[in-house]
Amino acid sequence: MSQPTQPAASAVAFDLRETDLFAFCRKGGSVAGDVATRDLPRILAETAEDAPASAPDETFHYTLTGFMREEAVEAGAVVSQRLFVDVTVQGRVWLDCQRCLQVYPEPIDTSMRFEVMASEEAADSAPMDDDDIDVIVGSKKFSPLELVEDEVLLALPSAPKHMVCPAVHESLVTGADGEVEPEAPPEEEKRPSPFAALAGLKTKH
Ligand SMILES: [Zn+2]
């Protein structure tokens, strides 16, 4: 497996495969880089078979920005530290269009904020007071690469389709509800019946 391009130098220790996510957020780490599709096995598995041979070399651009918010739990008392990481990923994944059955590049452009929790238990009991923030469990050996891969997977459409198909395949027709549905496969060409063949022989006298 090739090494993903390591991101531009950051003041905070960062490794795509193993980063102390708590420290990264606490110190306000910020990185940007590119990772090839070939380094994202779950994306590779989703890539259409008819994708261009260069598809595994295509890259996703990502950014990760960590930060911390300090909040007084009680007035003048304990201060709690909440850690967050913003993740953006841009790129494309080659998929099969369900409408015209042709391979096409699905653009990926995703942006998400996560609150970084210390443990599964903390994540489970986290108050989901903000729909725009997801919760992840941090680790001192956290894989940002997998987080980037997760984000791409989540951004994939459940029913991949061109915005506008280049040409609608002739085996497809538009149904009454506006949905394009594949036509029933054509019946097998009828073979001449053996009786007809026999009849043909009889006339050759
Ligand atoms: Zn299409």
Side-chain angles (χ1 to χ4, degrees):
M1 188 181 257
S2 60
Q3 277 298 313
T5 315
Q6 285 300 322
S10 158
V12 182
F14 182 83
D15 184 293
L16 253 184
R17 298 186 190 278
E18 194 177 300
T19 286
D20 182 340
L21 190 61
F22 304 120
F24 181 80
C25 294
R26 227 176 271 128
K27 294 173 183 172
S30 180
V31 295
D34 296 291
V35 58
T37 303
R38 66 172 71 260
D39 291 315
L40 303 171
R42 289 178 290 157
I43 306 306
L44 215 47
E46 295 293 327
T47 300
E49 276 184 36
D50 294 337
S54 59
D57 299 322
E58 291 189 7
T59 57
F60 291 92
H61 184 72
Y62 65 85
T63 64
L64 271 86
T65 308
F67 62 98
M68 177 174 70
R69 277 187 198 151
E70 294 194 319
E71 292 174 359
V73 174
E74 288 165 31
V78 188
V79 170
S80 83
Q81 295 181 342
R82 295 177 69 183
L83 304 179
F84 298 87
V85 61
D86 286 343
V87 181
T88 70
V89 188
Q90 287 119 30
R92 62 184 192 175
V93 181
W94 288 87
L95 301 173
D96 286 321
C97 172
Q98 288 188 358
R99 193 185 287 129
C100 71
L101 313 179
Q102 303 291 308
V103 68
Y104 78 103
E106 173 73 26
I108 301 295
D109 188 355
T110 175
S111 170
M112 191 68 207
R113 172 164 294 176
F114 296 95
E115 178 159 8
V116 180
M117 309 303 286
S119 65
E120 291 280 355
E121 296 74 45
D124 287 343
S125 60
M128 300 299 285
D129 50 5
D130 192 335
D131 288 344
D132 295 330
I133 302 183
D134 232 330
V135 168
I136 51 172
V137 178
S139 160
K140 291 192 173 181
K141 295 183 174 182
F142 187 86
S143 168
L145 190 64
E146 284 185 22
L147 183 58
V148 166
E149 191 176 36
D150 287 344
E151 287 301 277
V152 176
L153 278 176
L154 285 171
L156 291 180
S158 54
K161 278 175 197 162
H162 282 107
M163 291 282 278
V164 176
C165 292
V168 175
H169 194 271
E170 60 185 16
S171 72
L172 302 174
V173 291
T174 306
D177 57 357
E179 277 291 313
V180 175
E181 289 180 358
E183 209 175 9
E187 278 184 48
E188 255 189 84
E189 216 170 321
K190 285 195 176 109
R191 290 185 186 162
S193 86
F195 299 108
L198 278 175
L201 283 173
K202 278 180 185 166
T203 58
K204 280 189 180 168
H205 284 293

